[in-house]
Amino acid sequence: MDQIRVLIVDDSAFMRMVLKDIIDKEPDMKVVGLAKDGIEAVEKALSLNPDVITLDVEMPKKNGLDALSEIMLKSPTRVIMVSSLTSKEASITIECLEKGAFDFIQKPAGSTSWTIRDVQDELLIKIRESMNVSIEKLKSIHFVGSKKIKKSARVNILGEKVVLIASSTGGPRSLDVIIPQLPENLNVPIIIVQHMPAGFTASLAYRLDKISNLKVKEAEEGEFLQKNVVYIAPGDFHLGLKQEDHKIKLFLDKSDKINNVRPSADFTFDLAAEIFKENSLAVILTGMGRDGAKGAFKVKHYGGKVIAESKETSVVYGMPKIVAQEGYADFVLPNYDIAEKILEILTDQSRGIKR
């Protein structure tokens, strides 16, 4: 089997050395080049034609976002961003995910060889997983034409309902298509469980809020669920719901990972389905693994509806594929048709089951 050819881009000589050491120890990978800034990254992407690039976010001469944009234009490649946990870098990282990067890893605080090795398994998994994704999909998915729903679209919602969304790898791009299409008077709360580390979910919420009709925010401990607000589960916390004084309160939970992730969609969906029963609508978007499958089953058990993103627009057709294969999905749709279907279901206009 051919080795995966990797180009490492980082302005730190130490980081380049550590990443090279991690990758070169794998029999199915080899480092074919090193670059110390964004300009060199673009040059070597063109000359070496690597399979995968690990790309630092903050660099001299040309930052990771600018380098990524040029690489995706001139020599489209699978790119994994390497980001420090600062508000600036987290914000740029989210933008990179929306503009063609496959995924990202977080640089551990301190960046010593010991702390870097804490994330080596995640890096290696993502390098291998990226090889299952077509370059064409990474190039085109950001430019999927969406049908804009008017800001003041008439929505006639009966009863208390909730929309639950699970997403992982490729999720920010699908959310970027779906959430801005929804009207400001949707009249239901939306809860998003996106697999991301602490710090990055706040940047995701901020970016989505800027381009959406609805208010988008990172969920906080103890706040009450409100209509016309999109809540994003904070990184490294499960997000729960409980009834209190005829209201629904959100809480953050640090219990063990579920499906090897925290936040887990299964954790949130399970509790939400118990409260909202047949008035739950679950949406399972692109991502690795099977998180959301048990939650989708729970929603179906209580008579709620489930939408799974189709292979056509999923960066990784993992989570939605399992939901569809196990028979939990009422609808399997490309991301650009999901907002319209959400509105149909919420307003009881939906008829029949489509696959």
Side-chain angles (χ1 to χ4, degrees):
M1 187 176 68
D2 291 339
Q3 289 179 301
I4 302 170
R5 303 169 69 256
V6 183
L7 169 63
I8 295 170
V9 183
D10 203 291
D11 65 347
S12 162
F14 172 76
M15 279 294 296
R16 294 196 298 273
M17 176 192 71
V18 172
L19 292 175
K20 184 177 188 303
D21 183 50
I22 289 170
I23 292 167
D24 277 342
K25 283 182 177 175
E26 300 301 302
D28 60 336
M29 301 179 191
K30 68 175 178 180
V31 175
V32 295
L34 303 170
K36 63 181 180 298
D37 58 52
I39 291 176
E40 205 172 288
V42 176
E43 291 171 353
K44 293 198 173 183
L46 292 170
S47 63
L48 298 173
N49 194 29
D51 297 312
V52 180
I53 299 172
T54 69
L55 183 58
D56 191 12
V57 171
E58 195 61 44
M59 297 179 292
K61 298 183 181 178
K62 190 188 291 280
N63 71 14
L65 176 60
D66 292 338
L68 171 72
S69 299
E70 196 168 342
I71 288 167
M72 295 308 287
L73 181 66
K74 295 180 178 177
S75 180
T77 311
R78 302 166 183 91
V79 177
I80 296 171
M81 306 305 298
V82 181
S83 175
S84 296
L85 182 54
T86 66
S87 57
K88 180 181 178 183
E89 288 205 23
S91 177
I92 294 173
T93 300
I94 299 303
E95 193 169 351
C96 289
L97 295 178
E98 293 165 350
K99 293 192 173 179
F102 170 73
D103 209 333
F104 76 98
I105 62 165
Q106 180 186 339
K107 282 184 185 176
S111 295
T112 67
S113 60
W114 294 109
T115 57
I116 290 295
R117 289 175 201 285
D118 290 342
V119 299
Q120 69 178 9
D121 289 346
E122 181 187 2
L123 171 64
L124 297 173
I125 287 169
K126 288 181 176 180
I127 289 174
R128 292 186 179 104
E129 187 67 33
S130 73
M131 294 302 294
N132 296 321
V133 179
S134 75
I135 297 295
E136 285 305 310
K137 184 165 283 189
L138 291 173
K139 273 172 52 182
S140 65
I141 196 164
H142 179 66
F143 302 104
V144 170
S146 61
K147 293 171 284 187
K148 189 77 174 174
I149 291 173
K150 289 180 182 178
K151 236 181 157 182
S152 57
R154 189 176 216 126
V155 185
N156 183 25
I157 306 291
L158 300 175
E160 298 294 320
K161 303 187 180 184
V162 69
V163 176
L164 309 165
I165 300 178
S167 56
S168 189
T169 307
R173 272 168 284 185
S174 285
L175 293 170
D176 201 30
V177 172
I178 297 165
I179 302 302
Q181 289 191 64
L182 296 171
E184 62 186 353
N185 60 337
L186 186 66
N187 208 31
V188 301
I190 297 176
I191 299 174
I192 297 172
V193 180
Q194 165 71 47
H195 298 160
M196 271 185 181
F200 292 88
T201 44
S203 292
L204 175 63
Y206 178 75
R207 284 188 55 77
L208 271 176
D209 184 63
K210 286 199 300 184
I211 61 173
S212 301
N213 302 315
L214 293 161
K215 176 180 175 61
V216 184
K217 70 184 296 292
E218 192 176 45
E220 298 176 54
E221 172 70 34
E223 67 178 322
F224 289 105
L225 201 62
Q226 295 183 350
K227 295 178 179 180
N228 299 320
V229 179
V230 180
Y231 300 89
I232 296 182
D236 205 31
F237 286 95
H238 296 308
L239 179 60
L241 301 83
K242 59 185 176 183
Q243 287 184 302
E244 186 175 300
D245 299 328
H246 306 292
K247 295 181 180 179
I248 298 167
K249 182 181 278 190
L250 300 176
F251 67 91
L252 305 183
D253 184 281
K254 268 280 197 177
S255 58
D256 292 345
K257 292 182 178 181
I258 300 171
N259 303 312
N260 203 36
V261 293
R262 190 173 58 223
S264 162
D266 282 344
F267 183 97
T268 304
F269 286 24
D270 182 78
L271 294 172
E274 291 276 357
I275 295 170
F276 287 91
K277 305 227 170 8
E278 72 276 8
N279 292 319
S280 303
L281 167 56
V283 182
I284 315 298
L285 301 178
T286 171
M288 291 183 270
R290 58 178 301 117
D291 190 39
K294 285 185 178 178
F297 168 78
K298 193 71 173 281
V299 168
K300 288 292 292 177
H301 172 74
Y302 280 112
K305 296 290 187 183
V306 176
I307 300 171
E309 183 174 359
S310 67
K311 186 176 182 179
E312 176 190 340
T313 56
S314 294
V315 171
V316 178
Y317 192 49
M319 286 162 46
K321 179 182 180 181
I322 289 169
V323 168
Q325 284 182 339
E326 297 193 0
Y328 306 147
D330 297 293
F331 306 92
V332 179
L333 300 168
N335 58 24
Y336 50 83
D337 284 337
I338 289 176
E340 189 171 17
K341 183 56 68 177
I342 288 172
L343 280 174
E344 280 186 24
I345 293 170
L346 291 176
T347 53
D348 297 318
Q349 294 170 352
S350 174
R351 294 289 183 271
I353 294 177
K354 296 180 182 178
R355 275 187 170 74

